[in-house]
Amino acid sequence: MSRIKRWLNMHGKEFNADGTLKDEVRQQKLFRGSDPGAIDSYARRCKAEYDEWKRLDETDPEPWPVYTAYDFFTAEEKRQFNPDGSLNPKYVQEALDKGISEGWLEEMERRKKFEVDNYNRVSEKHAEQGINFGAWQMRGRIGNSTTYVQRRQQMEQDLRNFEDVDSLPFDKDTVF
């Protein structure tokens, strides 16, 4: 998503698509008693920011990695489901052989398809606002995994320092 699109999402009520202050906004500000020089200064600063963001879009576009709902499936879900949320025929046969009902398999598929459709809707809505939903979700997952490692390392240190067990982030018997 372009920086300009994000800028317009933030300032679009006051500014035109070319980054200039809307005439009716100028008139409202004058009517409220704002100083004309202050209005012009505000309009110039915002237009300069707009022009800089536009230049950056043209010379150094931001990367926009595309993630699908499938990228967030667990390993087991990837074995069971196709990227669109439908059940993998091989998995269906395995499940039926194990005695899992067809009704339950249909329900699993219905739920996963709903999850995939929901991810796609949310991703599309966020993209309209200049937000890469998939990248945001992925950063959260990566952040959670590094946080876990850091908390675990801190817990190991706390145990070596004989800290009170109640103050530890995890149960010491389940971590080590």
Side-chain angles (χ1 to χ4, degrees), residues 69-80 112 141:
Y70 190 73
D71 294 316
F72 297 95
F73 285 12
T74 65
E76 180 63 16
E77 288 172 329
K78 286 181 179 181
R79 190 179 76 75
Q80 296 171 338
K112 188 52 78 175
R141 285 210 172 169

Side-chain angles (χ1 to χ4, degrees), residues 8 10 13 15 26 32 40 43 47 51 55 67 78 81 87 104 110 116 136 148 152-153 161 168 176:
L8 288 170
M10 291 186 298
K13 290 181 181 174
F15 290 86
R26 179 182 303 281
R32 291 187 191 138
D40 292 340
K47 176 66 170 144
D51 290 341
R55 184 190 67 75
Y67 293 98
K78 286 181 179 181
F81 297 97
L87 281 168
W104 175 244
R110 185 192 69 75
V116 169
W136 177 66
Y148 171 79
R152 183 170 168 199
Q153 289 170 344
N161 292 338
L168 300 175
F176 304 105

Side-chain angles (χ1 to χ4, degrees), residues 31-114:
F31 180 75
R32 291 187 191 138
S34 295
D35 179 62
I39 296 170
D40 292 340
S41 174
Y42 172 67
R44 277 192 308 277
R45 283 181 283 125
C46 288
K47 176 66 170 144
E49 181 183 63
Y50 171 91
D51 290 341
E52 176 63 11
W53 285 30
K54 184 175 180 182
R55 184 190 67 75
L56 287 170
D57 273 349
E58 293 166 355
T59 60
D60 185 23
E62 292 179 320
W64 190 271
V66 177
Y67 293 98
T68 65
Y70 190 73
D71 294 316
F72 297 95
F73 285 12
T74 65
E76 180 63 16
E77 288 172 329
K78 286 181 179 181
R79 190 179 76 75
Q80 296 171 338
F81 297 97
N82 296 316
D84 67 351
S86 63
L87 281 168
N88 181 332
K90 185 178 174 184
Y91 173 75
V92 170
Q93 191 55 54
E94 290 173 16
L96 291 172
D97 291 346
K98 290 180 183 176
I100 296 175
S101 74
E102 236 177 269
W104 175 244
L105 291 172
E106 288 171 2
E107 179 63 15
M108 284 175 61
E109 184 174 78
R110 185 192 69 75
R111 289 179 183 188
K112 188 52 78 175
K113 282 184 173 184
F114 177 79

